[in-house]
Amino acid sequence: MLNLERLRTLDALARHGSVSGAAESLHITTSAVSQQMAKLEREVGQQMLAKNGRGVRLTDAGGLLAEHAARILSQVALAQSDLEAQRGQVVGELRMSAFPTAARGLFPAALAALRAGHPALRLRSSELEPERGIAGVIRGDLDLAVVLDWYNKPMPLPDGLVKAALLDDPADVAMPAGHRLADRPEVDLAEFAEDEWITWGEGEFCHEWLLFTLRSMGVEPIVGHLAAESHTQLALVAAGLGVCIAPVLGRDPVPAGVVTVPLRQRVRRHVYVVWRADADRRPSIRAAVEALRTAAGRVGRPV
């Protein structure tokens, strides 16, 4: 009889490609991963792992069983979802993530409403950039992730995920109060061709979006400073160090000395929540989506 927890460990190894990665995703020690795999090898009578330099790789038998493990775990999740739906109660644990401005702008109201309305539901939340949130849902580390894409650059959504729109989040340009364009009712992105940009970290989806958008207008952006957190970006703007994109969600309070001006292009982010299709019937998922939609309706333009 195959042990479900050992199959879960094998699945984590297949997805993460390392013992340390599997241990981190399962919230156990690396020695516990090794022990689980040793027991699984004894149970099936075949070697699951082989040395690969300083790390390990799955053997052919390990890869074959890992494929079955992924399907088995998906079926188990679906069974749990169906049982929760049949019981109709919002219970258990719900693990959620959101990118920073959504965590600030949506989570306080949504999580408070969930706690008040469903006291038997244990809530766990974290701030994660959209790519990491989606990866966490795919791996099963998260139940829900609030993510985004931009009006001209969609975020690829892998198969097996379901999404629900929350709001459209308009974005302005934030600039020092003494900037030459600060008194304008609207601006074009191309008008900032000579300005230094304060933007997100290299490789992040929003950073790549800004470069893509400016270059599509024939502007090669001058990137002066990188900051992952929006309020850090605004603080750098207040110090006169450049300009930044300033979405409305989670933006307030804007520091003194900073002016935000709408873009004529009506630049906006699409904010939505994603979860695994095999968990679609869980009452806790549905309750969380409804709470997030209610919170979104209070802070932005609902979709």
Side-chain angles (χ1 to χ4, degrees):
M1 180 69 68
L2 293 170
N3 179 279
L4 192 61
E5 288 308 308
R6 285 160 205 158
L7 290 180
R8 200 179 303 279
T9 303
L10 177 63
D11 177 65
L13 275 166
R15 288 186 283 104
H16 293 278
S18 69
V19 172
S20 59
E24 183 177 356
S25 72
L26 296 170
H27 307 290
I28 60 177
T29 64
T30 54
S31 61
V33 171
S34 299
Q35 291 168 13
Q36 290 276 38
M37 293 307 301
K39 291 177 181 177
L40 181 60
E41 288 178 335
R42 288 197 296 271
E43 286 175 352
V44 301
Q46 295 190 64
Q47 187 176 356
M48 297 285 103
L49 298 177
K51 290 188 178 297
N52 184 30
R54 294 184 178 181
V56 296
R57 62 172 177 82
L58 295 181
T59 63
D60 289 345
L64 177 64
L65 186 55
E67 292 177 5
H68 286 289
R71 289 193 291 270
I72 290 167
L73 293 170
S74 179
Q75 284 299 117
V76 169
L78 183 59
Q80 291 172 332
S81 177
D82 285 345
L83 284 171
E84 281 191 32
Q86 194 274 336
R87 186 168 51 185
Q89 296 178 338
V90 181
V91 296
E93 182 177 80
L94 196 68
R95 301 157 298 170
M96 309 168 63
S97 78
F99 58 94
T101 51
R104 184 186 311 117
L106 297 178
F107 268 5
L111 298 184
L114 282 169
R115 174 171 287 181
H118 308 286
L121 181 65
R122 297 187 304 277
L123 298 168
R124 302 288 181 268
S125 70
S126 58
E127 283 189 4
L128 291 177
E129 291 299 327
E131 301 95 328
R132 292 185 62 198
I134 288 174
V137 173
I138 292 171
R139 290 194 306 265
D141 301 336
L142 295 169
D143 299 299
L144 290 168
V146 178
V147 299
L148 65 89
D149 57 27
W150 291 87
Y151 75 105
N152 60 341
K153 192 175 177 63
M155 168 78 74
L157 195 64
D159 293 338
L161 298 185
V162 178
K163 73 175 183 178
L166 297 177
L167 72 150
D168 276 354
D169 184 27
D172 305 328
V173 176
M175 62 195 80
H179 193 277
R180 67 187 187 282
L181 303 176
D183 60 351
R184 293 267 296 274
E186 291 182 327
V187 290
D188 289 317
L189 275 174
E191 294 181 279
F192 297 90
E194 304 302 321
D195 288 274
E196 282 194 53
W197 282 96
I198 300 161
T199 181
W200 300 267
E202 290 183 5
E204 289 187 14
F205 182 69
C206 290
H207 175 87
E208 297 303 317
W209 164 79
L210 181 62
L211 301 188
F212 165 81
T213 301
L214 289 170
R215 286 168 179 164
S216 71
M217 299 175 177
V219 174
E220 183 57 35
I222 304 169
V223 177
H225 306 278
L226 302 177
E229 216 283 329
S230 63
H231 277 197
T232 304
Q233 295 180 12
L234 290 171
L236 294 171
V237 173
L241 297 173
V243 301
C244 75
I245 295 292
V248 171
L249 180 63
R251 184 171 73 191
D252 292 336
V254 175
V258 174
V259 172
T260 59
V261 181
L263 281 158
R264 191 171 290 112
Q265 295 94 341
R266 296 295 182 262
V267 170
R268 62 198 181 282
R269 304 187 296 183
H270 305 304
V271 180
Y272 53 98
V273 57
V274 301
W275 63 94
R276 288 171 61 109
D278 56 23
D280 193 41
R281 296 185 61 199
R282 288 177 58 189
S284 56
I285 295 284
R286 295 182 178 276
V289 172
E290 182 60 31
L292 286 165
R293 280 181 160 164
T294 300
R298 294 171 180 159
V299 300
R301 295 198 299 269
V303 177

